[in-house]
Amino acid sequence: MFGTRKLGRTSDQRKAMLRAMTTYLLENGKIETTFYRAKEVQPIAEKMITLGKKNTLASYRKALGYITKEDVAKKVFSEIAPKYADRNGGYTRVTRLGPRKGDAAEMAVIELV
């Protein structure tokens, strides 16, 4: 179950950070962040792609309610979701990179498969 890590932030800051990270991931296809942030973004991004696969007006509006940029939502529905039409989940991959130099936080790359 996702959404259990606090990530050192208040709930509104955490929600805003996860929305921004999800939008950036769907926009660019790949982001480098800490491992635990990547593990929190993963199910949210997969849910947005699943909404894109449904391709209804209601699912588009639901995706727009979470994704912060309208052009990214259009990209999810027109480019990303059709690419995964025959795939049942597992649209993202989290790969560990090792510790960060400054504070030794475990780094990872989350990318669209």
Side-chain angles (χ1 to χ4, degrees):
M1 182 174 141
F2 68 94
T4 57
R5 296 180 184 95
K6 293 188 178 181
L7 303 174
R9 304 197 184 278
T10 60
S11 59
D12 56 342
Q13 291 173 345
R14 185 171 53 249
K15 190 182 293 186
M17 179 187 69
L18 292 174
R19 284 180 70 187
M21 289 178 73
T22 303
T23 303
Y24 191 75
L25 172 64
L26 294 172
E27 185 176 23
N28 298 311
K30 179 179 181 179
I31 55 174
E32 183 177 332
T33 183
T34 63
F35 176 71
Y36 293 106
R37 286 182 184 177
K39 291 300 277 188
E40 286 296 307
V41 168
Q42 188 175 21
I44 300 168
E46 300 218 358
K47 190 171 282 188
M48 293 300 122
I49 294 171
T50 303
L51 285 173
K53 285 173 63 175
K54 290 180 185 175
N55 202 13
T56 62
L57 181 60
S59 62
Y60 181 71
R61 288 178 174 167
K62 195 174 267 192
L64 274 178
Y66 197 84
I67 297 172
T68 58
K69 296 180 180 177
E70 188 174 346
D71 57 334
V72 175
K74 286 181 184 175
K75 180 179 177 183
V76 168
F77 279 77
S78 63
E79 297 173 24
I80 297 174
K83 191 169 92 173
Y84 299 114
D86 58 340
R87 191 176 180 113
N88 295 327
Y91 314 121
T92 57
R93 175 188 307 133
V94 176
T95 308
R96 289 180 188 240
L97 295 177
R100 184 163 51 194
K101 188 172 183 175
D103 59 357
E106 184 71 27
M107 296 300 287
V109 170
I110 181 168
E111 59 190 343
L112 298 175
V113 176

